[in-house]
């Protein structure tokens, strides 16, 4: 049974991951609900199921992929809320390797125990994410068209964290 933290994180992320899209400038290629064709094909093969177009992905498959390939792979369960949601959303949007890199950088700057200050961790992760998006847009002009959407998503995640901070302080 997925954790409540996972359900919160998934709910946030799915608000930003829409239906089928195949933008020629998106290096991820065709996606549906944020799941790329490449990830979906690998998932179906790992389950012994025939390959099918990502347009036909089931909600149960979306949930399972996000849980195993992103939440578990990025070790989000070990983080307190809202850092777990921030880490998950970064893993989904920028890759598990990226959130692992960010967490490694944070551990060298902050206390080695990432559970010590969840608001500080969430804030720092969001700062790192924003800087990463600006680097992408600067280094690859075809990606500039995605920048406003990425920044809006990050602002929404900041607001999410502020709400969680208020709830947690009561």
């Amino acid at each position: 049974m997925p954790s409540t933290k996972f359900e919160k994180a998934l709910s946030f992320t799915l608000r930003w991951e829409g239906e089928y899209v195949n933008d020629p400038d998106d290096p991820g290629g065709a996606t549906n609900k944020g799941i790329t064709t490449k990830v979906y094909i690998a998932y179906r093969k790992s389950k012994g199921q025939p390959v099918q177009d990502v347009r036909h992905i089931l909600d149960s498959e979306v949930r399972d992929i996000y849980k195993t390939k992103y939440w578990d792979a990025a070790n989000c369960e070990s983080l307190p809320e809202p850092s777990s949601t921030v880490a998950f959303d970064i893993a989904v949007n920028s890759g598990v390797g990226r959130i692992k890199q960010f967490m490694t950088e944070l551990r060298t700057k902050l206390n080695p125990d990432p559970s010590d200050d969840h608001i500080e961790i969430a804030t720092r992760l969001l700062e790192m994410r924003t800087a990463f998006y600006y680097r992408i847009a600067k280094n690859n002009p075809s990606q500039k068209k995605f920048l406003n959407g990425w920044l809006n998503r990050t602002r929404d995640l900041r607001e999410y964290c502020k709400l969680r901070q208020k709830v947690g302080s009561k």
Side-chain angles (χ1 to χ4, degrees):
M1 177 85 181
S3 74
T4 302
K5 286 194 298 186
F6 171 71
E7 294 302 327
K8 287 177 184 176
L10 182 63
S11 177
F12 175 86
T13 296
L14 285 176
R15 289 194 329 240
W16 285 93
E17 295 295 350
E19 297 301 317
Y20 180 81
V21 177
N22 191 7
D23 189 310
D25 291 325
D26 185 344
T31 64
N32 194 3
K33 300 178 184 175
I35 306 296
T36 65
T37 295
K38 181 180 175 182
V39 167
Y40 188 50
I41 288 171
Y43 173 80
R44 299 274 301 175
K45 286 181 177 180
S46 77
K47 300 288 184 183
Q49 298 172 338
V51 172
Q52 66 181 20
D53 193 298
V54 74
R55 291 176 218 241
H56 305 295
I57 195 168
L58 302 173
D59 288 343
S60 59
E61 293 174 315
V62 169
R63 179 178 294 299
D64 191 35
I65 290 168
Y66 277 138
K67 174 73 169 71
T68 58
K69 302 289 184 193
Y70 298 92
W71 181 263
D72 293 344
N75 200 25
C76 297
E77 189 66 34
S78 69
L79 296 169
E81 208 7 65
S83 298
S84 56
T85 296
V86 172
F88 175 70
D89 197 61
I90 291 171
V92 167
N93 197 237
S94 302
V96 171
R98 182 73 50 207
I99 189 56
K100 287 182 177 183
Q101 174 193 346
F102 286 176
M103 291 302 295
T104 298
E105 288 177 28
L106 278 182
R107 285 187 182 106
T108 62
K109 295 175 185 173
L110 300 174
N111 185 315
D113 181 0
S115 64
D116 282 351
D117 187 350
H118 61 94
I119 298 301
E120 177 71 11
I121 290 168
T123 300
R124 294 279 187 103
L125 286 173
L126 290 168
E127 290 168 357
M128 295 168 90
R129 178 186 201 169
T130 300
F132 174 69
Y133 288 151
Y134 277 109
R135 280 194 308 275
I136 290 173
K138 179 182 178 190
N139 295 332
N140 189 342
S142 72
Q143 300 302 292
K144 284 182 183 177
K145 73 181 192 179
F146 301 117
L147 184 59
N148 283 336
W150 294 334
L151 296 176
N152 287 338
R153 183 174 180 157
T154 301
R155 276 191 286 279
D156 192 28
L157 195 46
R158 274 187 215 286
E159 289 303 313
Y160 173 89
C161 291
K162 287 178 188 175
L163 290 174
R164 293 297 166 266
Q165 185 177 11
K166 288 178 186 175
V167 169
S169 65
K170 290 183 179 179

